C-alpha cells in the first residue's frame, strides 16, 4: 500500500466500518471455523475483505475511487485479526489499486469525549449529504445497543439526499429493513480469511 493524502473531495464510493467490531467478528469466525474444519486459519487479508464489501455494495470492475473509513477506539493501535493491521503505520493515509479501482484508507480514532456510535452516525450523515457519493457501504456494530435503529432513522431523515444513492448495511444477521440494502458480513470475512465453501459443507 502506498502513501496517499486524505481526500478533500468525496469519491463516488465510501465504506464506513467500525473496525473494532469487524476485528472482533473476524476473531470469532476464526476460533469457530478452526474448530470446525480442523486447520489453522491465517489472518484476514484486509484488501481482499474491502474488495468483497465493495462488490456487495455494487462496485464493479473499472477505474473507480473508494474512500474506506476505519473507525477505532483510541486504545486500539491495530487490527488483531487482519493483515496489514497497524492503523497509523500501515493503514491511515495509504491506498491500494486493483481491478475495482483505487481504495484510499483513513483510520479515524474515536476521542474519549465522543461515543463511537455517535461518531459513526456523524460520518454517515456527512457522507449521505455529498452529491458526488453514489454508493455507501456501512459496517456498524448492529448487535449491541440501538445503533442499527439510529442508522435507520438517520437514513430515513436524509431520504431526499439519499434517493439517488445505493446504501448497503452489513450485519451478521438479517435486520429489520429500511431504505437501504442489506448484506451478511460473514460471507466477506470468510472469504478474506480463506475459508472455502467446500470446507464447511
Amino acid at each position: 500500500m502506498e502513501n496517499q493524502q486524505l481526500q478533500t473531495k468525496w469519491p463516488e464510493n465510501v465504506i464506513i466500518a467500525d473496525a473494532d467490531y469487524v476485528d472482533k467478528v473476524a476473531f470469532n469466525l476464526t476460533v469457530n471455523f478452526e474448530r470446525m474444519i480442523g486447520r489453522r486459519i491465517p489472518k484476514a487479508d484486509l484488501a481482499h475483505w474491502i474488495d468483497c464489501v465493495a462488490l456487495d455494495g455494487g462496485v464493479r470492475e473499472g477505474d473507480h475511487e473508494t474512500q474506506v473509513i476505519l473507525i477505532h477506539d483510541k486504545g486500539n493501535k491495530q487490527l488483531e485479526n487482519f493483515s496489514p493491521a497497524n492503523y497509523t503505520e500501515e493503514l491511515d493515509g495509504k491506498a491500494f489499486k486493483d481491478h475495482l479501482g483505487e481504495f484510499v484508507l483513513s483510520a479515524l480514532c474515536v476521542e474519549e469525549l465522543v461515543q463511537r456510535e455517535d461518531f459513526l452516525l456523524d460520518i454517515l450523515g456527512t457522507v449521505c449529504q455529498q452529491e458526488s457519493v453514489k454508493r455507501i457501504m456501512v459496517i456498524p456494530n448492529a448487535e449491541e445497543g440501538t445503533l442499527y435503529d439510529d442508522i435507520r432513522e438517520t437514513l430515513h431523515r436524509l431520504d431526499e439526499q439519499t434517493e439517488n444513492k445505493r446504501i448497503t448495511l452489513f450485519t451478521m444477521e438479517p435486520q429489520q429493513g429500511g431504505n437501504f440494502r442489506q448484506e451478511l458480513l460473514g460471507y466477506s470475512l470468510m472469504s478474506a480469511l480463506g475459508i472455502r465453501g467446500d470446507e464447511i459443507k
Side-chain angles (χ1 to χ4, degrees):
M1 292 187 179
E2 56 194 50
N3 278 311
Q4 184 80 14
Q5 291 300 313
L6 189 64
Q7 303 279 343
T8 50
K9 178 181 177 292
W10 289 95
E12 60 180 330
N13 307 307
V14 179
I15 296 171
I16 305 167
D18 180 337
D20 294 335
Y21 168 69
V22 174
D23 200 32
K24 186 178 80 172
V25 174
F27 172 76
N28 291 337
L29 288 173
T30 300
V31 170
N32 290 332
F33 280 106
E34 280 188 343
R35 211 176 287 137
M36 188 188 300
I37 63 182
R39 70 168 175 85
R40 188 183 166 278
I41 293 172
K43 291 189 176 187
D45 181 329
L46 183 65
H48 181 84
W49 176 69
I50 289 169
D51 271 353
C52 290
V53 168
L55 285 165
D56 285 346
V59 179
R60 294 297 174 256
E61 196 164 321
D63 192 23
H64 305 289
E65 195 172 343
T66 303
Q67 175 75 52
V68 182
I69 300 169
L70 301 170
I71 298 169
H72 65 96
D73 284 344
K74 198 171 187 176
N76 295 333
K77 304 299 181 191
Q78 64 177 36
L79 293 155
E80 298 298 331
N81 302 283
F82 284 85
S83 179
N86 188 285
Y87 289 122
T88 51
E89 293 173 19
E90 298 177 298
L91 301 178
D92 189 43
K94 300 291 194 295
F96 68 91
K97 199 164 191 173
D98 60 22
H99 63 292
L100 299 178
E102 185 174 43
F103 293 83
V104 179
L105 279 62
S106 300
L108 301 186
C109 170
V110 182
E111 295 298 330
E112 286 159 10
L113 298 174
V114 182
Q115 291 288 326
R116 187 172 10 173
E117 293 78 8
D118 294 335
F119 192 56
L120 188 146
L121 286 169
D122 284 347
I123 294 170
L124 176 60
T126 299
V127 171
C128 284
Q129 293 175 68
Q130 306 305 311
E131 218 173 292
S132 57
V133 176
K134 303 302 177 198
R135 296 175 200 85
I136 303 169
M137 292 134 273
V138 189
I139 304 97
N141 181 354
E143 295 174 25
E144 297 172 13
T146 61
L147 181 57
Y148 185 82
D149 291 332
D150 294 340
I151 289 173
R152 286 177 68 234
E153 285 175 27
T154 298
L155 294 176
H156 181 69
R157 194 178 71 247
L158 297 170
D159 199 38
E160 285 186 16
Q161 284 105 322
T162 59
E163 61 181 351
N164 294 320
K165 300 185 194 306
R166 174 174 169 150
I167 301 172
T168 309
L169 259 67
F170 292 77
T171 57
M172 283 305 287
E173 294 178 3
Q175 303 285 332
Q176 187 179 347
N179 55 343
F180 49 83
R181 298 164 187 259
Q182 287 191 52
E183 292 287 344
L184 292 175
L185 175 61
Y187 293 136
S188 58
L189 284 173
M190 285 167 63
S191 181
L193 287 162
I195 300 166
R196 303 187 312 274
D198 60 278
E199 291 184 288
I200 55 176
K201 284 178 182 174

